[in-house]
Amino acid sequence: MSSLLSHRASAPSQSAVAIGAALELIEPSIPYGFCALVRPVGGDHGCIEDAPQRADLIGQEIRLPHGLLGDGAAGLDATALRVPLAWTVACGGRPDWFFAAPVPHCRLHLIAVGIGPHHLSVERLSSVANLLGRLVQAGEATKLTRDASERLQALVRHVPVPVLFVDAMGAHEVQMNDEAAVLLGLAEGMRQPQAVAGALARLINAKGRHSLHRALTEDPHASLQFEIQQAGRDFRTDSRWIDDESLCGRLWMFTDITREKALQRQLADLAAHDPLTGILNRGSFDLRLREEIERAGRHRTPLGLLLFDLDHFKAVNDGWGHPAGDKVLKAAAAAAGAVLRGSDVFARIGGEEFAVILPETSAQGMLGVAERIRVAVAALEVPHGDALLRVTCSIGAAVHDAARNMPEALVARADEALYAAKRGGRNRVVATGELATGT
């Protein structure tokens, strides 16, 4: 069968078979002769690329009658020509006629040569040459697609991150490396387009990413970027549509950003917390107070706020030095934190001043927490050298008022109660609108 495509492709294709069939269309018109595909190699010489009736000629360079390999179809009467000996040998006698027509889209000519009567015309030869041009073009496109697919498959296997390519028409097995299969939870026998599509759909729809699904529904060619967590690791997912001459489909790449996300969380944690005591800082307190007030308003639940600071703390710093003061601050924060619930919000909002947000806590419950904090701090004995440092705290308490739904208002009322506790003798709890309790 045809050798034309064998020089261009690693495996036979339907185009190669079709080219051979097209050549055979004109053979019945040549009782005593044959046809061939010839590639010009300079002057009046050409190399025979295909000759279904004379496979022994394929690959040979042969001389042609002058003027045969022109830009258009031609027919020559060999009786008036000097015929090269090679053609006389090939035909088993001196040829009487030659026909030639250029094959579009490639540097080939379709040649017909023979002896005696025939039923071939220049028009018929040109029609077959045009058909061959379309077949050659289709064969080249098929080869380009196959070559590109093979290159992509090799690339995908060696990319050091999970990656896969899904053909637009689902005509090929999904090209993916082992890392992508593990990430998607696909065993060796589950890499067909349907299984991969299901795994990707679950990935997109996880954790309420409905906007991604809508984006792909509205524009199947849309590019996507989102983050996922799989098997305890973080990945950034990039998905984009590829459409060029040889490949058409969607490429998925997954970049491991576990260390990056861990660092981000560490930095966010550092930014949110006081470096000395390890509890939340003033910025985090302001944010959480606003969130808790909004939540209490939505659910109509009580909310309490405590502000407390350490009594006569300046004397500790002046008498024992700032390292001693830092020890006392850390010990006081630990003692207060030990009596709080996991849902309570504890923050250092100034030098020796602390705040506690108490969600879903009544006024009576808030005062109970405040008293436990006061007692815990008063019981401290902080070792420093040969001394044991003692400290007390004053606490102001306020309950969120829905009529005054601003964080600043709640803080101001708790702060007012704190100063009342200071004026009342320190080491005590004072609530706005309530009697002071404590020693």
Side-chain angles (χ1 to χ4, degrees), residues 266-280:
Q266 183 180 359
L267 292 175
D269 187 69
L270 289 173
H273 289 77
D274 172 51
L276 177 64
T277 62
I279 62 176
L280 295 177

Side-chain angles (χ1 to χ4, degrees), residues 118-141:
H118 62 84
H119 304 287
L120 191 62
S121 66
V122 171
E123 290 75 16
R124 180 172 175 78
L125 193 71
S126 294
S127 177
V128 175
N130 289 333
L131 173 61
L132 288 174
R134 291 194 295 272
L135 292 172
V136 169
Q137 195 174 33
E140 291 288 354

Side-chain angles (χ1 to χ4, degrees), residues 31 74 126 161 210 270 354 379 402-403 417 436:
S126 294
V161 300
H210 304 302
L270 289 173
F354 299 84

